[in-house]
Amino acid sequence: MRKVSKDDMGHGSRAQGSRPSQYRQGCTCALPDGKIASALVSTLEAVVLRVGAEITITPQPAQPAEGDNLTLEVRGLSGELLAYNWYAGPALSLAYLVASYIVSTGDETPGPAHTGREAVRPDGGLDIQGALPGHSGTYILQTLNRQFQTEVGYGHVQVYEILAQPVVTANHSMALVEHRDTLRLQCGSPSPAEVRWFFNGEALPIAVRLGLSPDGRTLTRTGVRREEAGAYQCEVWNPVSISRSEPANLTVYYGPERVAILQDSVTRTGCTLKVDFNASLTLWCVSRSCPEPEYLWAFNGRALKNGQDHLNISSMTAAQEGAYTCIVKNSKTLLSGSASVVVKLSAAAVAMTIVPVPTKPTEGQDVTLTVQGYPKDLLVYAWYRGPASEPNRLLSQLPSGNWIAGPAHTGREVGFANCSLLVQKLNLTDAGRYTLKTVTLQGKTETLEVELQVAPLE
């Protein structure tokens, strides 16, 4: 605290002129105690400063929080004092007068700036009960001695509020599209306290801090990136209080990118897969995308009824050979991507097999002699009941796709394009050997036999 000069006083210009004799330094005048306070206030019009020790005003506690009991302690008082005047404001003005105190009687008179919480102490200090942030500011103590000389001391008090929890709000949404949208977060707090930001519980990275407003209350990121998705919090603080907001979770939509088709965790995009006849195959479609994309599978350019991230081929045949394409679409970014593979039968698929379905039919049932691995360049085939001779021929399939009955046809046999044979309403005499003969476009002939068993009805 510093001792004020005449120029520091609210009416210093008048103090520099000639003073009335009753205010001259060294003059002693006896006044009743009841008039001392008014006399002290009147000295504002003609201040006489006594040269002496400097008055210091120190708040205790030094950093009070709202609700604390605060004392402005005074040091450096000297001489026999008549009264104290306390002011809460930047100047010695009646409008800022908190209270006047008469030393001899202990009488205290509130002033216009009294809030009902202040009380002058006999030693000249000022108590403030349950201090509020509004009590912050400059305080002035003015003393009057028996020679009607005055001294003043200045002090400053900062009462810190107990901070309420701030709230993080977004300008639009907390779900944004990468490289397209702008993130703008506001830290809402009624307090003028300092602000700092946290990302996923850690102090905000430097690169992100570059987007802070000068007051630190607005965080802006143009063209938000996926690595900036996470939990954002702001924290307000002062020397006596600290409060952090609830997390505001940011989602950043992106992709799909790097679309690929996997088989057994190995990328197969753009490759040709060789699959054994009758083997199973699962193709997985993967990509980098947020949110999870929509899936569409196509086979040789024709859409399949499959909206999953994988496609199953349970029994590989020549009919499943071709190009498989996975198409992924992101409903948030409105972007899409695709990947393709070619699936073919391996060389081992040359060997044909015949499998009865059901494997053990009963009298009266239908059975299909299913052919697996038939030639892809098939020209014609024929089924025989027994050895491959004309009298035993059941039917033949022509290149046109039509089949014609043979000498052994009973009216219950039907042929299919994949060389399979359906025998309807079995009887016990249908049991026995069946022979399939195929001829390819290159003239290659192949013969295959199967033994059919028919169980009697019980």
Side-chain angles (χ1 to χ4, degrees):
M1 305 302 167
R2 63 184 180 87
K3 185 181 293 181
V4 299
S5 67
K6 294 179 181 179
D7 292 339
D8 290 324
M9 308 308 294
H11 303 279
S13 59
R14 297 187 58 181
Q16 292 176 4
S18 59
R19 294 190 294 272
S21 59
Q22 67 266 33
Y23 290 105
R24 291 175 183 163
Q25 185 170 354
C27 175
T28 58
C29 301
L31 289 179
D33 289 340
K35 296 182 179 180
I36 292 177
S38 60
L40 181 56
V41 174
S42 70
T43 61
L44 294 174
E45 298 299 322
V47 177
V48 179
L49 297 179
R50 182 177 65 84
V51 178
E54 184 174 348
I55 297 175
T56 61
I57 300 174
T58 305
Q60 292 296 333
Q63 294 179 329
E66 62 176 312
D68 285 352
N69 293 328
L70 171 64
T71 298
L72 301 183
E73 296 183 349
V74 179
R75 300 280 191 276
L77 297 180
S78 61
E80 190 175 357
L81 300 178
L82 296 179
Y84 311 121
N85 268 5
W86 273 100
Y87 301 85
L92 294 172
S93 170
L94 185 60
Y96 299 134
L97 180 64
V98 175
S100 297
Y101 182 85
I102 307 304
V103 176
S104 61
T105 63
D107 291 338
E108 181 177 333
T109 303
H114 198 277
T115 67
R117 298 173 182 265
E118 298 87 356
V120 182
R121 300 161 58 99
D123 62 2
L126 181 67
D127 288 334
I128 302 176
Q129 298 294 317
L132 301 174
H135 286 104
S136 301
T138 300
Y139 283 79
I140 304 175
L141 171 62
Q142 183 187 42
T143 65
L144 179 68
N145 64 17
R146 289 193 176 277
Q147 289 74 41
F148 284 89
Q149 297 169 324
T150 64
E151 283 186 315
V152 294
Y154 287 83
H156 184 80
V157 174
Q158 178 65 53
V159 179
Y160 296 97
E161 65 178 303
I162 301 301
L163 300 171
Q165 186 179 38
V167 177
V168 174
T169 56
N171 55 330
H172 293 300
S173 169
M174 289 300 287
L176 305 177
V177 176
E178 186 179 37
H179 303 311
R180 188 185 76 186
D181 293 336
T182 295
L183 170 68
R184 184 171 291 108
L185 301 179
Q186 297 276 351
C187 183
S189 172
S191 169
E194 296 287 336
V195 177
R196 52 195 171 203
W197 288 85
F198 292 84
F199 176 65
N200 290 336
E202 303 291 337
L204 203 64
I206 294 178
V208 180
R209 285 203 300 269
L210 295 177
L212 288 176
S213 60
D215 63 2
R217 294 190 171 232
T218 303
L219 174 63
T220 303
R221 296 295 290 160
T222 302
V224 66
R225 300 191 298 270
R226 69 190 69 179
E227 57 267 25
E228 292 163 352
Y232 287 82
Q233 293 171 280
C234 72
E235 186 177 84
V236 291
W237 62 279
N238 60 33
V240 300
S241 179
I242 186 169
S243 183
R244 188 178 297 190
S245 71
E246 293 294 330
N249 294 304
L250 173 66
T251 299
V252 177
Y253 298 132
Y254 59 87
E257 301 170 350
R258 301 186 181 182
V259 183
I261 294 179
L262 305 185
Q263 178 200 18
D264 299 330
S265 301
V266 178
T267 301
R268 301 296 189 183
T269 304
C271 297
T272 297
L273 301 182
K274 297 289 188 177
V275 183
D276 291 339
F277 180 80
N278 206 32
S280 62
L281 173 67
T282 299
L283 301 177
W284 291 90
C285 188
V286 297
S287 68
R288 292 184 179 181
S289 177
C290 178
E292 183 77 9
E294 301 170 0
Y295 296 93
L296 174 66
W297 287 89
F299 173 58
N300 290 333
R302 178 172 49 87
L304 300 176
K305 294 181 179 180
N306 184 322
Q308 299 178 318
D309 61 351
H310 62 280
L311 178 68
N312 291 321
I313 301 175
S314 58
S315 180
M316 185 65 194
T317 66
Q320 276 88 36
E321 287 188 317
Y324 289 83
T325 302
C326 172
I327 304 169
V328 293
K329 298 180 180 179
N330 188 318
S331 61
K332 300 298 184 181
T333 65
L334 305 181
L335 300 175
S336 62
S338 65
S340 298
V341 295
V342 174
V343 177
K344 289 187 176 182
L345 285 170
S346 63
V350 174
M352 285 193 301
T353 59
I354 302 175
V355 179
V357 179
T359 55
K360 294 182 179 180
T362 303
E363 183 181 5
Q365 280 187 317
D366 295 348
V367 66
T368 300
L369 302 181
T370 304
V371 178
Q372 299 173 343
Y374 66 91
K376 291 177 291 182
D377 55 350
L378 180 70
L379 174 63
V380 65
Y381 73 82
W383 275 99
Y384 301 88
R385 176 69 173 86
S389 62
E390 180 57 23
N392 298 330
R393 184 170 60 85
L394 293 170
L395 56 85
S396 300
Q397 174 86 24
L398 301 178
S400 62
N402 297 323
W403 59 268
I404 56 176
H409 194 270
T410 68
R412 294 180 291 119
E413 296 85 8
V414 178
F416 296 97
N418 63 355
C419 301
S420 297
L421 176 68
L422 170 64
V423 182
Q424 301 172 323
K425 296 180 181 179
L426 289 173
N427 55 52
L428 295 178
T429 60
D430 291 323
R433 182 173 54 169
Y434 287 77
T435 303
L436 170 65
K437 185 177 182 180
T438 62
V439 180
T440 67
L441 293 173
Q442 288 75 32
K444 180 181 178 181
T445 301
E446 186 174 358
T447 302
L448 189 65
E449 296 180 348
V450 64
E451 192 74 23
L452 177 64
Q453 297 179 355
V454 179
L457 290 173
E458 296 182 358

